[in-house]
Amino acid sequence: MEQRQITLENLNIIGPDYYAKNGYPHAEWTYLRAHDPVHWTEFPNTDPFWAITKHADIVQIAKQPKLFSIVKRLLVFVPDQPSEPDPVPPFRHLLNMDPPEHGEYRSIVSRRFTPRAVRELEPEIDRIAREVLDGVTGKTQCDFVTDVSSRVPLAVIAELLGVPRKDWDQLFRWTNETIGGADPEFQDGTSQDETFERARLGLFQYFTDLVNEKTKRPANDITSIVAAASVNGTPMPQFEMLSYFLLLVVAGNETTRNATTGGLLALIENREQWDRLKKNPALIKPAVEEIVRWTTPVIQFARTATEDTEIRGRKIKAGESVCLFYPSANRDEEVFDNPCKFDIGRDPNPHIAFGIGEHFCLGANLARLELEVIFRQLVERMEYAELAGPVERLRSSFVGGIKHMPIKMKLNPARQ
Amino acid sequence: MKVVVDLKLCEGNQRCMEAAPEVFDVREDDKAHLLMERPPESLREKVKLAMRMCPRQAITLED
């Protein structure tokens, strides 16, 4: 690839086309961490923002949810055409609520995602992962994304929500269209907004029906819990309820899928780490942490200052927004030794791929367990894997996705 | 030093218990319970690690 000199004037860290073509702009982020870690960024079709690239600064901002509100701008969204400034989002869920409301809504399901609760799901996740891998056993080639990495998280979140198996494929299409609305593959000939809107309305209608059913016959699933939930003593309004499901479905799918795909890619590209894990399966937990740090599937969320303030000497005015680039924080030289090395034994590994503070990823413990189960089985059953063609990346500067990853591989049947 | 856990934020992620088991215990209610409110100076580094590790940033230290 042609190397161009990075300068503060020409760097591009938010254009979706860049991500589709090159993956993450790590060279640009490294440059920013060294030269302008709180960087005023202007880009067509979106309001300007401060790009925050240092680990310590993101932690400081995330720890102060009152000073840095998530409501006004939950992420830096870059539409293809100029659009109305600050449109009202057509959903209201945990990612556009501030405290104390955020805490009220979050606590409705949070106990389902604690390490204690999640551990009980391990046999079920183990079974799901085994079935998915059985599906490609005997093949010499597959698309790791459509055949493996997308299937496990989808099955897990669908089971948790009590969605019947016949509807999983539809659920999968909606989640792709929600996150991948900017990518032509998922647009089906319509615009980004129309794609998202179609998926959102489909999901809203689907969960309206499922909530009705679960209200009549409650089960031990999250849909039944949310359907029966009260907030401050009154039943949860329908718009907030349907938004809750939109969030759970999308957040439960895209991120873990991309960590799984990116994790296998990292192990293919760093063969010695694959061998190390194969020889020493006890490294699975630090390996999962390193995969999460390395891939950091959520590229950014934003916050908006509610008062004039300062970050690293830069004056941030009330109403200006900051964009938190998590993958950059997770390669911060001041926090990680040799940050650009993929090292499955890394310890300590204080990455913030799940965020930190008020909006820390609700599903982090579940995601960790899913990754642990998948990679444990892959290491056990996979004789070898190599790329059979180039990876295709998602056109998005919000979630770093690999849409397709053709691999050649040999997978053994599960040990009985 | 005095340790305070914000129970509204705490979600039982157990990181504090891993960092400083002498001070924190996450129980069946998925909340961190303090085994001592005023840990000895010798545990300061461990408590500070627990503070840093807490995903919800629910632990504060009052000197």
Side-chain angles (χ1 to χ4, degrees):
Chain A
M1 200 176 14
E2 188 194 338
Q3 286 292 320
R4 77 193 161 95
Q5 188 71 37
I6 297 170
T7 67
L8 287 179
E9 286 67 40
N10 74 4
L11 52 75
N12 179 0
I13 50 169
I14 201 66
D17 285 321
Y18 181 104
Y19 286 82
K21 196 165 154 235
N22 309 303
Y24 286 4
H26 277 298
E28 284 81 350
W29 284 327
T30 302
Y31 184 87
L32 281 178
R33 287 195 302 276
H35 296 100
D36 196 21
V38 179
H39 174 66
W40 184 248
T41 309
E42 296 181 1
F43 197 81
N45 300 343
T46 195
D47 288 339
F49 58 89
W50 294 98
I52 311 294
T53 47
K54 294 286 284 180
H55 190 283
D57 295 342
I58 294 183
V59 171
Q60 275 312 310
I61 291 166
K63 273 167 72 166
Q64 302 176 80
K66 288 186 181 118
L67 180 56
F68 293 101
S69 161
I70 203 167
V71 169
K72 288 203 182 81
R73 191 182 199 183
L74 78 160
L75 56 95
V76 173
F77 172 64
V78 184
D80 290 334
Q81 287 94 32
S83 62
E84 295 292 306
D86 294 332
V88 180
F91 50 82
R92 245 190 119 244
H93 55 49
L94 297 177
L95 290 179
N96 49 359
M97 288 181 185
D98 282 330
E101 190 185 30
H102 173 259
E104 302 277 350
Y105 272 86
R106 185 174 165 115
S107 64
I108 291 163
V109 298
S110 62
R111 292 198 66 194
R112 284 292 179 120
F113 294 99
T114 63
R116 206 174 50 83
V118 156
R119 213 169 296 129
E120 289 173 21
L121 303 173
E122 185 163 356
E124 179 65 9
I125 297 174
D126 214 67
R127 185 189 61 74
I128 289 169
R130 189 171 325 116
E131 274 181 30
V132 167
L133 290 184
D134 287 348
V136 289
T137 302
K139 293 188 180 172
T140 54
Q141 204 164 327
C142 75
D143 177 349
F144 187 72
V145 180
T146 50
D147 293 332
V148 180
S149 69
S150 61
R151 291 188 181 265
V152 178
L154 174 70
V156 171
I157 197 70
E159 294 261 346
L160 282 177
L161 288 167
V163 171
R165 187 175 279 242
K166 65 176 170 55
D167 301 328
W168 290 7
D169 284 347
Q170 180 58 59
L171 208 62
F172 184 57
R173 281 194 290 277
W174 282 324
T175 162
N176 279 333
E177 290 166 2
T178 304
I179 291 290
D183 192 293
E185 179 172 338
F186 303 113
Q187 285 180 348
D188 200 16
T190 55
S191 77
Q192 180 175 4
D193 285 352
E194 286 164 345
T195 305
F196 175 82
E197 201 48 18
R198 193 177 58 222
R200 180 186 73 88
L201 292 173
L203 272 166
F204 273 23
Q205 184 56 53
Y206 181 81
F207 277 98
T208 303
D209 297 341
L210 193 63
V211 161
N212 283 337
E213 201 186 307
K214 300 284 180 188
T215 307
K216 280 186 219 133
R217 283 176 290 276
N220 184 28
D221 54 41
I222 291 178
T223 305
S224 301
I225 294 177
V226 175
S230 291
V231 186
N232 291 322
T234 50
M236 192 191 295
Q238 193 186 30
F239 183 59
E240 278 75 2
M241 184 180 291
L242 296 173
S243 302
Y244 216 123
F245 294 115
L246 173 75
L247 175 64
L248 290 174
V249 169
V250 173
N253 266 307
E254 297 290 334
T255 47
T256 313
R257 173 202 314 183
N258 288 312
T260 306
T261 313
L264 182 65
L265 181 60
L267 288 166
I268 288 173
E269 288 175 341
N270 299 273
R271 191 66 58 175
E272 79 292 347
Q273 299 293 317
W274 172 261
D275 294 339
R276 195 176 162 201
L277 187 56
K278 224 166 159 77
K279 257 187 232 127
N280 187 359
L283 283 173
I284 189 71
K285 276 182 196 284
V288 163
E289 289 309 309
E290 181 67 346
I291 286 169
V292 175
R293 180 188 79 93
W294 190 253
T295 58
T296 312
V298 176
I299 298 164
Q300 44 105 357
F301 278 115
R303 302 287 192 275
T304 301
T306 55
E307 296 167 31
D308 290 356
T309 183
E310 216 176 271
I311 302 164
R312 214 173 271 267
R314 288 276 190 192
K315 298 224 180 317
I316 313 289
K317 289 203 203 89
E320 289 178 348
S321 53
V322 291
C323 181
L324 316 179
F325 285 100
Y326 304 103
S328 173
N330 288 341
R331 303 262 175 119
D332 190 332
E333 304 73 9
E334 279 190 89
V335 178
F336 301 96
D337 292 335
N338 231 335
C340 293
K341 179 170 170 40
F342 177 69
D343 171 8
I344 61 161
R346 185 178 289 279
D347 177 37
N349 191 348
H351 69 76
I352 48 171
F354 294 115
I356 191 161
E358 183 74 24
H359 291 280
F360 173 73
C361 174
L362 182 63
N365 297 306
L366 178 63
R368 286 185 163 114
L369 179 60
E370 287 182 39
L371 292 168
E372 205 180 304
V373 167
I374 298 166
F375 280 98
R376 199 193 293 136
Q377 293 193 19
L378 279 176
V379 163
E380 194 183 296
R381 294 174 63 173
M382 211 168 221
E383 291 275 337
Y384 81 98
E386 59 185 73
L387 287 184
V391 299
E392 275 182 62
R393 296 180 190 278
L394 185 67
R395 185 172 178 273
S396 168
S397 52
F398 169 42
V399 171
I402 294 178
K403 292 190 295 181
H404 302 290
M405 185 166 89
I407 59 167
K408 284 187 263 187
M409 84 291 178
K410 179 166 192 292
L411 203 63
N412 295 322
R415 268 191 244 140
Q416 290 309 313
Chain B
M1 75 181 147
K2 183 168 185 288
V3 184
V4 179
V5 176
D6 182 339
L7 291 176
K8 278 202 140 123
L9 282 174
C10 174
E11 284 179 348
N13 280 295
Q14 304 181 355
R15 292 299 149 116
C16 54
M17 195 163 77
E18 290 161 21
E22 302 88 340
V23 182
F24 303 96
D25 182 28
V26 177
R27 299 190 188 149
E28 287 288 296
D29 60 355
D30 289 319
K31 295 287 177 191
H33 294 255
L34 286 172
L35 298 174
M36 47 178 102
E37 249 177 54
R38 295 180 179 279
E41 261 324 286
S42 57
L43 290 174
R44 182 177 286 272
E45 284 313 305
K46 281 189 167 186
V47 171
K48 282 169 83 175
L49 179 64
M51 283 173 63
R52 275 203 306 279
M53 295 295 287
C54 175
R56 294 274 281 159
Q57 298 286 292
I59 304 167
T60 43
L61 198 53
E62 292 169 8
D63 271 331

